[in-house]
């Protein structure tokens, strides 16, 4: 059994503040002394992992981690380690102290977990000291939760069952955006329907964002650009996020208060389908384009190009102006994507709403491996328009 390859084992990682009972819960769940337990906060300094058989889950690796609320430089390193482990884990258990009313760090960490597309279980531990759930529910979004006591074993069976149920679920596609906000969050969408838009329906990124907001219990106000002032006046509170079509971003920014977080549909897509940081750097690399450079424009679907098409006309025009001379453009559409991209100086992709995250990432990986910067249309417009940093603030 111990020889089951690690990749075939279910990795279950435990996260939480110091002293909430992560190690105690790992030991209680497994019936083994995996980790040292003590009343001194910070007793688990480095991640501890152990492979074992845990019925009915089968072969697993449990990973116990150091507290997320550690302070100082070492603390920052520990948090980075914890994030690495989050990426490796199949199931992520967030342990908290049921009796502690301060759940600020837990809410933040849950957002981080959701952003990574983690399968999450919340374990409220030490219920022997907090028999009744106190106060209003603190969970920022729907997520399975169990109440347990590692010390007296209460709730452990339910905890095991919840893990089994979670393991049976396929990993979620990370939420496009709404999963990063509490339920009831208000989104103001600016979605002008220009001549490029298909007749009688919204374009897919808009549909997907609206659906994501509804799925996560959010509220949406949608209007075209010309109605923006009226739309703003109709709100009874400040929106949690303004999401606009990239092409009118600068005009939207001019009209909304400076402290309203704002981003573009395509930036949300970059975050959900690819890697926002890498692709924002890709946009910044536009500064390095010189006349004669090769730019690959990649669209994930095939459609009829209309006049002033963003991929074929708008972006090439902007880039050539910036580079100060003619560039070489290659265009691919649909499933076509070059086998090797090393000859390119830059790749600019569409948002990728028609392809899966895995598919998009395989293209991004190819670019990264070849040392070629890659970005998308919206990030390109954001950078060229001078509002890239403003549109990324919502994700910091
Ligand atoms: N009353 C009670 N005490 C608990 C429970 N679980 C853990 N403890 C106690 O809480 C303290 C911390 O437990 P640990 O398991 O070391 O906590 P940890 O989260 O691993 O802590 P660090 O490794 O320091 O981050 C110990 O004194 C445990 O005995 C519980 O369910 N009820
Ligand atoms: Mg510990």
């Amino acid at each position: 059994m111990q020889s089951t390859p690690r990749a075939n084992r279910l990795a279950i990682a435990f996260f939480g503040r110091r002293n909430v009972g992560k190690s105690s819960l790992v030991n209680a769940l497994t019936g083994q002394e995996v980790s040292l337990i003590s009343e001194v906060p910070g007793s688990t300094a480095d991640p501890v992992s152990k492979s074992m058989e845990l019925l009915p889950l089968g072969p697993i690796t449990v990973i116990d981690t150091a507290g997320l609320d550690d302070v100082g430089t070492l603390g920052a390193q520990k948090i980075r380690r914890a994030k690495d482990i989050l990426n490796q884990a199949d199931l992520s258990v967030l342990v908290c102290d049921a009796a502690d009313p301060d759940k600020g760090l837990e809410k933040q960490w849950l957002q981080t977990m959701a952003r990574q597309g983690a399968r999450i279980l919340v374990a409220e531990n030490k219920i022997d000291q907090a028999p009744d759930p106190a106060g209003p529910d603190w969970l920022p979004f729907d997520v399975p939760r169990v109440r347990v006591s590692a010390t007296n074993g209460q709730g452990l069976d339910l905890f095991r069952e919840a893990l089994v149920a979670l393991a049976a679920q396929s990993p979620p596609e990370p939420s496009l955006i709404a999963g990063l906000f509490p339920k009831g969050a208000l989104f103001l969408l600016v979605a002008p329907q220009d001549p490029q838009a298909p007749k009688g329906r919204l374009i897919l990124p808009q549909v997907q964002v609206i659906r994501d907001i509804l799925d996560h219990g959010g509220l949406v106000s949608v209007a075209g650009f010309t109605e923006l002032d009226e739309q703003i006046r109709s709100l009874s509170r400040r929106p949690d996020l303004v999401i606009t079509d990239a092409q009118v971003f600068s005009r939207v920014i001019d009209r909304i208060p400076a402290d309203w977080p704002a981003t573009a549909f395509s930036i949300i897509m970059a975050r959900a389908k690819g890697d926002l940081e890498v692709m924002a750097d890709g946009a910044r690399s536009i500064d390095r384009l010189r006349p004669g450079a090769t730019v690959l424009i990649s669209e994930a679907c095939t459609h009829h190009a209309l006049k002033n098409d963003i991929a074929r006309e708008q972006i090439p025009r902007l880039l050539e102006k910036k580079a100060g001379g003619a560039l070489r453009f290659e265009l691919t559409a649909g499933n076509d994507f070059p086998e090797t991209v090393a000859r390119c100086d830059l790749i600019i992709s569409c948002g990728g709403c028609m392809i899966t995250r895995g598919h998009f990432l395989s293209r991004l990986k190819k670019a990264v491996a070849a040392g070629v910067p890659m970005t998308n249309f919206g990030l390109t417009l954001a950078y060229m328009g001078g509002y890239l940093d403003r549109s990324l603030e919502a994700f910091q």
Side-chain angles (χ1 to χ4, degrees):
M1 190 278 305
Q2 291 293 342
S3 63
T4 307
R6 176 124 189 201
N8 296 343
R9 295 176 166 278
L10 195 72
I12 308 176
F14 287 70
F15 303 95
R17 291 180 202 244
R18 288 172 298 167
N19 228 30
V20 292
K22 300 178 293 296
S23 301
S24 305
L25 207 52
V26 167
N27 292 356
L29 174 76
T30 58
Q32 300 189 22
E33 289 289 310
V34 175
S35 273
L36 197 80
I37 295 169
S38 90
E39 70 288 349
V40 184
S43 31
T44 312
D46 283 313
V48 180
S49 67
K50 182 156 186 189
S51 296
M52 65 182 71
E53 182 90 15
L54 185 67
L55 290 173
L57 285 166
I60 64 161
T61 302
V62 278
I63 311 171
D64 185 16
T65 65
L68 294 170
D69 56 339
D70 221 339
V71 282
T73 26
L74 255 183
Q77 274 175 27
K78 285 180 190 169
I79 288 169
R80 243 194 323 274
R81 290 283 290 279
K83 283 190 175 167
D84 285 344
I85 291 172
L86 186 59
N87 285 328
Q88 298 161 24
D90 297 299
L91 309 183
S92 299
V93 181
L94 178 67
V95 187
C96 62
D97 184 336
D100 187 349
D102 174 13
K103 294 288 195 293
L105 186 129
E106 283 74 11
K107 287 189 215 171
Q108 257 180 29
W109 191 249
L110 276 174
Q111 309 282 15
T112 305
M113 293 166 112
R115 216 173 297 161
Q116 307 287 338
R119 276 181 281 179
I120 311 166
L121 176 61
V122 171
E124 292 181 352
N125 189 35
K126 306 196 184 184
I127 52 166
D128 50 294
Q129 292 179 339
D132 293 315
D137 195 11
W138 62 272
L139 288 177
F141 47 83
D142 257 344
V143 55
R145 166 235 315 261
V146 285
R147 292 173 45 80
V148 287
S149 165
T151 315
N152 70 13
Q154 217 182 326
L156 269 184
D157 286 344
L158 288 175
F159 181 49
R160 221 170 265 124
E161 279 171 28
L163 279 178
V164 172
L166 200 60
Q169 286 173 14
S170 50
E173 277 265 313
S175 161
L176 283 179
I177 186 70
L180 306 183
F181 291 82
K183 269 187 188 169
L186 176 63
F187 297 86
L188 185 143
L189 272 43
V190 185
Q193 303 299 308
D194 66 16
Q196 311 275 344
K199 290 273 166 291
R201 65 176 171 84
L202 296 175
I203 57 169
L204 204 49
Q206 294 169 358
V207 171
Q208 289 173 342
V209 166
I210 293 172
R211 175 63 199 260
D212 188 64
I213 294 170
L214 298 178
D215 282 349
H216 289 85
L219 313 174
V220 202
S221 163
V222 199
F225 177 70
T226 40
E227 293 75 27
L228 178 62
D229 290 338
E230 213 172 324
Q231 186 187 15
I232 292 173
R233 276 197 300 277
S234 78
L235 300 180
S236 55
R237 63 174 156 110
R238 170 186 190 263
D240 294 276
L241 183 64
V242 176
I243 308 173
T244 169
D245 185 289
Q247 302 191 48
V248 290
F249 199 110
S250 54
R251 285 188 283 159
V252 170
I253 291 300
D254 287 344
R255 306 263 278 272
I256 61 173
D259 64 337
W260 284 15
T263 193
F265 287 99
S266 43
I267 288 167
I268 290 171
M269 297 311 282
R271 194 199 134 259
K273 297 283 174 171
D275 181 312
L276 188 53
E277 268 175 48
V278 172
M279 292 173 67
D281 281 344
R284 294 184 185 107
S285 81
I286 289 171
D287 283 349
R288 299 198 298 271
L289 284 182
R290 296 287 170 264
T294 300
V295 180
L296 173 69
I297 307 252
S298 156
E299 290 192 313
C301 62
T302 45
H303 64 263
H304 257 314
L306 293 179
K307 201 168 151 19
N308 208 21
D309 183 67
I310 184 163
R312 289 161 189 80
E313 295 188 36
Q314 288 188 37
I315 286 188
R317 209 163 42 224
L318 281 170
L319 294 183
E320 290 192 326
K321 191 167 168 212
K322 173 94 182 159
L327 302 169
R328 255 191 305 242
F329 289 98
E330 290 181 25
L331 193 95
T332 59
N335 279 328
D336 292 341
F337 193 80
E339 209 37 59
T340 52
V341 291
R343 68 179 177 288
C344 304
D345 297 289
L346 175 65
I347 301 172
I348 307 184
S349 167
C350 66
C353 62
M354 292 289 282
I355 60 176
T356 64
R357 175 174 166 79
H359 194 163
F360 194 95
L361 277 177
S362 70
R363 294 177 172 187
L364 184 61
K365 277 184 190 150
K366 211 182 249 187
V368 170
V372 180
M374 177 163 162
T375 188
N376 75 8
F377 297 161
L379 283 163
T380 302
L381 293 180
Y383 184 67
M384 306 287 286
Y387 52 85
L388 180 65
D389 291 339
R390 170 79 159 96
S391 61
L392 295 177
E393 275 164 20
F395 300 100
Q396 262 126 40

